[in-house]
């Protein structure tokens, strides 16, 4: 649908539907804030199944690494009894290491996502929370990517054989 220079296409609809499903699921299951899962769905959702799988894989790797680095930060922060200097010094150091790691494993498309996940988790984790908070945010990413993948399966039907073939190809490229 086009109105002048504005279009409302299939991908826009799938994106809105994906965010709807994420928010609805989080509401029904009392999962908390659906922000990270919604962002993962938006960043991963592409025009076709294969491209969505590619971006979803990069997003999962990036957010998992960002979450792991956030866990390291939380452990260090707790060891030093939430001293403010820990945030000032440790977060930039861990961020640089995270960028180097993503580059080293050739996940350059995930550097911004990993950095964002790390900072969002590290800088928003409540003082009384543990590493479980970071783990939950990584799980949220898996949820968002899964919904994005389902949007392409549901709106552009493909056979289970095609799904298995794409997944197999992606696993063999590792």
């Amino acid at each position: 649908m086009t109105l002048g220079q504005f279009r409302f296409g299939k991908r826009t609809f799938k994106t809105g539907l994906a965010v709807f499903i994420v928010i609805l699921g989080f509401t029904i299951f009392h999962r908390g804030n659906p922000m990270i899962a919604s962002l993962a769905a938006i960043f991963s959702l592409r025009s076709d199944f294969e491209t969505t799988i590619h971006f979803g894989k990069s997003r999962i790797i990036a957010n998992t690494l960002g979450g792991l680095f956030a866990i390291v930060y939380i452990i260090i922060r707790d060891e030093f009894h939430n001293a403010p200097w820990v945030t000032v010094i440790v977060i930039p150091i861990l961020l640089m290491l995270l960028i180097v790691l993503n580059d080293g494993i050739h996940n350059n498309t995930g550097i911004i996502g990993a950095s964002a996940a790390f900072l969002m988790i590290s800088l928003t984790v409540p003082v009384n929370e543990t590493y479980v908070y970071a783990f939950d945010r990584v799980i949220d990413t898996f949820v968002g990517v899964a919904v994005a993948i389902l949007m392409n399966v549901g709106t552009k039907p493909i056979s289970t054989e095609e799904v298995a073939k794409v997944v197999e190809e992606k696993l063999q490229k590792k």
Side-chain angles (χ1 to χ4, degrees):
M1 180 169 88
T2 306
L3 181 60
Q5 67 184 32
F6 304 101
R7 343 178 255 130
F8 184 84
K10 188 174 172 181
R11 186 168 165 195
T12 301
F13 177 74
K14 290 189 298 186
T15 301
L17 186 58
V19 170
F20 168 79
I21 290 169
V22 167
I23 293 171
L24 179 64
F26 273 59
T27 301
I28 290 170
F29 294 107
H30 306 287
R31 178 95 179 123
N33 190 333
M35 177 183 62
I36 291 177
S38 295
L39 288 173
I42 292 167
F43 293 147
S44 300
L45 188 69
R46 302 297 166 171
S47 58
D48 61 53
F49 179 77
E50 189 167 316
T51 310
T52 298
I53 290 285
H54 171 74
F55 276 90
K57 176 185 165 193
S58 176
R59 188 81 183 152
I60 285 174
I61 291 168
N63 277 37
T64 300
L65 291 174
L68 290 172
F69 274 65
I71 289 170
V72 170
Y73 164 73
I74 292 166
I75 291 168
I76 294 169
R77 181 199 69 181
D78 289 351
E79 279 298 312
F80 289 94
H81 309 288
N82 303 312
W85 67 266
V86 173
T87 302
V88 173
I89 293 173
V90 173
I91 285 184
I93 291 170
L94 288 175
L95 179 64
M96 290 183 282
L97 292 173
L98 180 62
I99 292 168
V100 169
L101 178 60
N102 271 282
D103 182 54
I105 63 170
H106 307 291
N107 188 32
N108 296 59
T109 58
I111 289 174
I112 292 173
S115 300
F118 169 64
L119 292 173
M120 279 193 294
I121 295 167
S122 297
L123 296 173
T124 63
V125 61
V127 173
N128 59 342
E129 287 285 344
T130 64
Y131 63 89
V132 174
Y133 179 86
F135 180 75
D136 281 344
R137 301 301 69 83
V138 172
I139 296 300
D140 293 349
T141 300
F142 282 85
V143 170
V145 170
V147 170
I149 291 169
L150 288 174
M151 287 301 97
N152 275 324
V153 171
T155 57
K156 183 181 176 188
I158 59 175
S159 69
T160 53
E161 292 82 17
E162 288 177 291
V163 172
K165 179 182 171 192
V166 170
V167 170
E168 178 80 21
E169 288 172 0
K170 295 297 177 186
L171 290 175
Q172 288 177 355
K173 287 182 182 178
K174 286 185 176 181

